[in-house]
Amino acid sequence: MEQTTKLTFLGTAAANFSPRLKTDCKDCFDLDARRASSMLIGENYLVDCGMYVMESIRIAGVDMSKITDIFVTHLHADHFVAEHAEQIAAGKEKPLRLWVRRDAELPPMENVEVVYLPLHTEVEITEDMSVVSMDANHEAQSFPQHFIFTIHGKKLLYALDGGWFLTESYNYLRKAKLDMAVLDATCGERVDEWRIGGHNSLPMLRLLVPTLKTWGAFHEETRIYLSHIAPKLHVPHTQLVESVEKDGMLVAYDGLTVLL
């Protein structure tokens, strides 16, 4: 029987947060009041632990005691807060493993083991799961990376906070035959947005996705989810879903669970 893994989007926003997170949405998820981007893989693996992640964990009913590893895309505060890693690590018999880019600089953290990922090298996490780190096109001082997770033989690309792909990362992706991809969509339809150098817009993605299909990174069954959405640069969620449906892309939202 084919094994599946539950993926939970704990947050899907860029660092552009609704004031409603402090009022009517403080105890619930909402399609348009998004929290900082983060994903839970199964019960044990967290991708990013930045601003609002502790709220998201509480709202989603996540058992923090089961989280053994955190994979950090980069060190900007909406993706990584050291105190959050320590809170998740508190009381564990074994140190929490924190996976970062090979050259990242981090503060000391209680009960946290920092693991530095080599570039373009498959690293075994467990017998059924491995990860590959790829450099991301984002601010270098934040030590950015994208991940390819292989879980029970299925491949997930997690690529937030990065514009397009750097050449070496693109070449690694070719013929990867990914089963699912989570892509940065920060800038919406804007073509005049200053963040375009380190993030994607929807026009960029409409060029990128067919190209990656052509070169074998994606195939016809690959599910492509957009995340890291800056609400001020996008139409509301329901309109966004309609606008990218024809392009074969799906829109993630806080609290969404899918199976890989």
Side-chain angles (χ1 to χ4, degrees):
M1 183 176 177
E2 186 178 62
Q3 288 187 277
T4 59
T5 302
K6 185 170 80 167
L7 310 176
T8 305
F9 288 87
L10 294 174
T12 54
N16 177 287
F17 304 112
S18 170
R20 294 179 57 216
L21 294 178
K22 298 185 183 302
T23 57
D24 62 301
C25 294
K26 64 181 180 180
D27 295 316
C28 65
F29 291 128
D30 184 88
L31 292 175
D32 292 306
R34 301 172 183 267
R35 289 175 170 82
S37 293
S38 178
M39 173 184 277
L40 186 67
I41 300 174
E43 297 181 316
N44 307 119
Y45 310 109
L46 183 66
V47 184
D48 285 340
C49 58
M51 299 161 60
Y52 292 103
V53 75
M54 303 309 288
E55 287 186 13
S56 295
I57 284 173
R58 172 177 56 82
I59 293 167
V62 173
D63 184 350
M64 286 198 306
S65 70
K66 294 183 178 180
I67 297 175
T68 58
D69 299 77
I70 300 177
F71 299 87
V72 180
T73 59
H74 64 297
L75 301 186
H76 284 158
D78 56 324
H79 293 262
F80 173 74
V81 174
E83 290 82 0
H84 291 169
E86 288 184 309
Q87 286 178 317
I88 295 169
K92 294 187 184 298
E93 292 184 8
K94 293 183 179 180
L96 175 80
R97 292 190 296 185
L98 191 76
W99 301 81
V100 297
R101 208 174 86 158
R102 62 199 177 279
D103 52 353
E105 299 173 3
L106 293 103
M109 289 168 281
E110 187 74 24
N111 204 32
V112 174
E113 175 191 357
V114 178
V115 186
Y116 297 94
L117 283 167
L119 180 65
H120 298 161
T121 303
E122 189 169 16
V123 176
E124 184 177 282
I125 309 302
T126 67
E127 183 178 339
D128 297 317
M129 179 174 172
S130 63
V131 66
V132 173
S133 167
M134 302 187 304
D135 285 345
N137 181 26
H138 197 56
E139 294 178 14
Q141 65 270 27
S142 70
F143 307 103
Q145 61 183 338
H146 297 323
F147 299 113
I148 297 178
F149 296 102
T150 302
I151 311 162
H152 299 299
K154 296 179 182 177
K155 292 185 178 181
L156 164 68
L157 169 66
Y158 194 89
L160 301 187
D161 274 77
W164 300 93
F165 290 101
L166 294 172
T167 300
E168 294 80 3
S169 298
Y170 167 75
N171 287 334
Y172 189 87
L173 278 173
R174 291 174 62 168
K175 301 181 181 179
K177 296 183 180 179
L178 299 161
D179 296 287
M180 187 181 297
V182 181
L183 300 180
D184 180 283
T186 301
C187 300
E189 298 285 1
R190 298 283 292 270
V191 294
D192 60 346
E193 173 57 37
W194 68 268
R195 284 173 281 194
I196 210 95
H199 299 90
N200 293 326
S201 67
L202 295 180
M204 291 166 68
L205 289 167
R206 292 187 182 107
L207 291 172
L208 179 65
V209 168
T211 300
L212 289 171
K213 284 183 178 178
T214 298
W215 291 104
F218 300 158
H219 53 78
E220 291 305 315
E221 301 301 319
T222 303
R223 285 175 286 164
I224 300 164
Y225 286 92
L226 305 185
S227 187
H228 206 267
I229 292 163
K232 290 183 179 178
L233 304 180
H234 278 270
V235 296
H237 178 83
T238 53
Q239 291 176 242
L240 178 57
V241 169
E242 293 175 2
S243 72
V244 301
E245 185 178 19
K246 64 183 182 298
D247 304 302
M249 295 184 285
L250 304 163
V251 183
Y253 55 87
D254 295 16
L256 171 66
T257 62
V258 298
L259 294 178
L260 175 66

